[in-house]
């Protein structure tokens, strides 16, 4: 039986943003086409010499309302087509011809609908002294301007929104990296850890001077990496493994045989990039909450695979996630790690903590999508 806890970020902010965008879209649609409807109504009432006025006031108003309502529907149903065709991702060079063609096509559909509905189905007389083809061409040209303007405004809004979100994501990423650096300094180079390491080193100086010298080097490597990694967005998995090995070597001085390690790293995964201190955070949690509290200790297993277009890293240790102390202590750190993954690699990146009851194991698994070329 397996207990699974997904610690990916909640989608509340994204849902709220999409709801606000939907409300803004409705407001602009109603306001824009409503304004044109009001202007056209005013013109028909103010200038009775318009040919449409010969139909009578009520009929004229009905024609205007139907015309602009159909224009609103045409623009509304154009949105999913633009999404499907991925026009919002195009540059101006490729987008502009598409917008022009789309504007003429939308105007043609609109004029065809209005003519067929009003003059074919409803049976309103064609009150114009000009030839029908000429009127249709002029109408298509006239309303293509409105549709082209709508398309440009719609595209401008999404360009601005995309740039705005990119800027926000960039600042959030910068903030997250800085916070990660501070968390790394606090969790990996905290006074308690240094105190334990120095005590272990003091005992080793007399017992095993060679090992003591090596441990000093490992501690220096860990301190240097913790200070420098905060300036980087990603590092190769191999570099992270090196510092994790130094960290575990220092912990083994204190835990001795109680701390055992098993590595299963695919060679093609070593140069793949991960956020700095990600693996270190998972391993430290495994030592702190899976090995230290158990008199008999246990084995930490680190597995890394390049599989299915993603780097999959799994850190396992003895224990159960239901323990309140562990759950409350690791939640913040792993959620922060999940946030960094999402900001750097997108929504497909995940970090999941789960508990396998048979055998009693806690597994933290990070999935990092690989870039596609």
């Amino acid at each position: 039986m397996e207990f699974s806890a997904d610690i990916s970020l909640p989608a509340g902010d994204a849902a709220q943003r999409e709801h606000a965008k939907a409300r803004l879209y409705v407001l602009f649609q109603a306001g824009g086409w409503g304004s044109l409807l009001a202007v056209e109504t005013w013109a028909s009432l103010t200038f009775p010499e318009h040919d449409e006025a010969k139909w009578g006031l009520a009929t004229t108003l009905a024609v205007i309302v139907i015309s602009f309502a159909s224009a609103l529907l045409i623009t509304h149903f154009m949105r999913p087509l633009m999404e499907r065709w991925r026009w919002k991702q195009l540059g101006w060079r490729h987008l502009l011809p598409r917008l022009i063609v789309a504007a003429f096509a939308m105007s043609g559909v609109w004029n065809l609908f209005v003519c067929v509905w009003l003059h074919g189905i409803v049976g309103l007389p064609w009150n114009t002294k000009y030839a029908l083809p000429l009127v249709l061409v002029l109408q298509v040209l006239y309303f293509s301007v409105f549709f082209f303007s709508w398309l440009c405004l719609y595209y401008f809004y999404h360009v601005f929104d995309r740039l705005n979100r990119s800027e926000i994501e960039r600042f959030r990423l910068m903030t997250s990296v800085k916070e990660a650096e501070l968390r790394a300094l606090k969790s990996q180079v905290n006074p308690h850890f240094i105190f334990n390491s120095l005590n272990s080193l003091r005992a080793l100086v007399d017992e095993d001077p060679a090992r003591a010298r090596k441990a000093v080097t490992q501690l220096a490597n860990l301190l240097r990496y913790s200070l420098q990694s905060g300036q980087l967005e990603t590092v190769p998995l191999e570099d992270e493994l090196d510092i994790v090995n130094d960290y575990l070597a220092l912990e083994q001085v204190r835990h001795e045989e109680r701390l055992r390690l098993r590595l299963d790293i695919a060679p093609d995964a070593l140069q793949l990039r991960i956020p700095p201190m990600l693996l270190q955070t998972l391993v430290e949690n495994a030592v702190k909450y899976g090995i230290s509290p158990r008199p008999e200790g246990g084995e930490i297993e680190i597995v890394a695979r390049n599989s299915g277009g993603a780097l999959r890293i799994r850190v396992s240790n003895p224990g159960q996630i239901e323990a309140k102390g562990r759950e409350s202590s690791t939640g913040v750190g792993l959620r922060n790690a999940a946030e960094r993954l999402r900001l750097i690699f997108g929504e497909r990146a995940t970090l999941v903590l789960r508990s396998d009851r048979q055998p009693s194991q806690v597994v933290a698994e990070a999935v990092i999508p690989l870039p596609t070329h």
Side-chain angles (χ1 to χ4, degrees):
M1 184 175 181
E2 182 181 277
F3 170 81
S4 177
D6 189 347
I7 52 176
S8 300
L9 288 177
D13 291 344
Q16 189 175 9
R17 186 172 63 244
E18 290 301 320
H19 183 64
K21 287 172 61 177
R23 284 190 300 177
L24 189 63
Y25 167 76
V26 171
L27 178 64
F28 273 100
Q29 277 284 76
W33 290 112
S35 299
L36 290 176
L37 173 62
V39 170
E40 187 68 18
T41 303
W42 172 82
S44 297
L45 297 176
T46 305
F47 304 102
E49 66 272 11
H50 279 195
D51 291 329
E52 292 83 0
K54 299 176 183 178
W55 295 332
L57 178 59
T59 303
T60 299
L61 292 178
V63 168
I64 295 173
V65 170
I66 292 174
S67 299
F68 281 94
S70 60
L72 187 149
L73 288 175
I74 289 173
T75 54
H76 178 72
F77 287 109
M78 186 64 187
R79 291 174 68 221
L81 293 178
M82 294 174 71
E83 288 283 349
R84 184 184 305 172
W85 298 333
R86 299 182 180 276
W87 282 9
K88 288 186 289 187
Q89 280 74 44
L90 297 176
W92 271 111
R93 252 177 154 179
H94 300 90
L95 180 69
L96 188 59
R98 289 172 169 82
L99 294 183
I100 294 173
V101 172
F104 277 102
M106 294 164 72
S107 181
V109 170
W110 179 86
N111 278 280
L112 180 62
F113 169 80
V114 171
C115 289
V116 171
W117 177 261
L118 297 180
H119 302 292
I121 299 176
V122 178
L124 291 178
W126 188 266
N127 295 324
T128 179
K129 58 186 177 181
Y130 301 105
L132 177 59
L134 177 61
V135 173
L136 289 177
V137 169
L138 293 177
Q139 283 282 91
V140 169
L141 290 173
Y142 178 72
F143 273 91
S144 64
V145 175
F146 289 101
F147 287 114
F148 182 77
S149 300
W150 184 93
L151 291 169
C152 288
L153 288 173
Y154 184 80
Y155 181 75
F156 282 146
Y157 167 78
H158 281 280
V159 168
F160 176 80
D161 181 66
R162 187 165 66 246
L163 292 175
N164 187 47
R165 282 190 287 112
S166 298
E167 194 69 11
I168 292 174
E169 291 292 306
R170 187 174 69 86
F171 281 115
R172 289 182 64 188
L173 177 59
M174 291 172 59
T175 302
S176 178
V177 169
K178 291 300 179 183
E179 290 176 352
E181 180 182 4
L182 292 175
R183 287 195 305 273
L185 292 173
K186 183 178 179 181
S187 61
Q188 307 305 327
V189 195
N190 58 70
H192 182 68
F193 171 75
I194 295 178
F195 177 77
N196 288 335
S197 299
L198 292 177
N199 273 341
S200 301
L201 289 174
R202 184 177 60 182
L204 282 178
V205 168
D206 294 328
E207 297 176 7
D208 192 344
R211 188 179 180 188
R213 287 193 297 270
K214 184 176 181 181
V216 169
T217 301
Q218 291 165 339
L219 180 59
N221 290 340
L222 181 60
L223 292 170
R224 186 183 306 108
Y225 184 83
S226 298
L227 291 170
Q228 295 177 349
S229 63
Q231 309 300 322
L232 303 174
E233 185 175 283
T234 60
V235 295
L237 175 62
E238 186 174 22
D239 292 355
E240 188 83 355
L241 280 170
D242 289 340
I243 208 63
V244 164
N245 283 326
D246 286 338
Y247 167 78
L248 289 174
L250 289 170
E251 288 289 357
Q252 281 179 324
V253 172
R254 184 159 56 99
H255 293 291
E256 297 181 340
E257 295 84 6
R258 294 176 58 246
L259 173 57
R260 299 178 295 279
L261 175 65
R262 190 165 78 87
L263 291 175
D264 185 4
I265 311 296
D268 60 346
L270 288 174
Q271 295 306 313
L272 300 180
R273 304 189 72 84
I274 66 172
M277 306 304 289
L278 172 66
L279 180 59
Q280 169 67 19
T281 299
L282 302 183
V283 171
E284 185 197 12
N285 283 332
V287 172
K288 188 174 182 180
Y289 301 106
I291 305 300
S292 295
R294 303 168 68 88
E296 72 277 16
E299 181 181 79
I300 294 177
E301 180 185 38
I302 303 175
V303 180
R305 291 285 185 274
N306 178 1
S307 173
L311 171 61
R312 300 176 183 273
I313 301 174
R314 188 173 72 249
V315 178
S316 307
N317 61 268
Q320 284 293 331
I321 198 175
E322 289 88 351
K324 291 184 178 179
R326 171 166 182 131
E327 187 176 10
S328 60
S329 298
T330 63
V332 174
L334 293 182
R335 287 185 187 278
N336 288 337
E339 164 76 353
R340 294 176 62 211
L341 278 176
R342 188 190 69 83
L343 289 174
I344 297 174
F345 296 99
E347 300 294 340
R348 291 173 52 211
T350 59
L351 179 56
V352 174
L353 185 70
R354 68 177 185 269
S355 179
D356 295 336
R357 300 184 189 276
Q358 298 295 333
S360 179
Q361 289 280 313
V362 173
V363 180
E365 183 173 22
V367 178
I368 303 173
L370 300 180
T372 56
H373 300 289

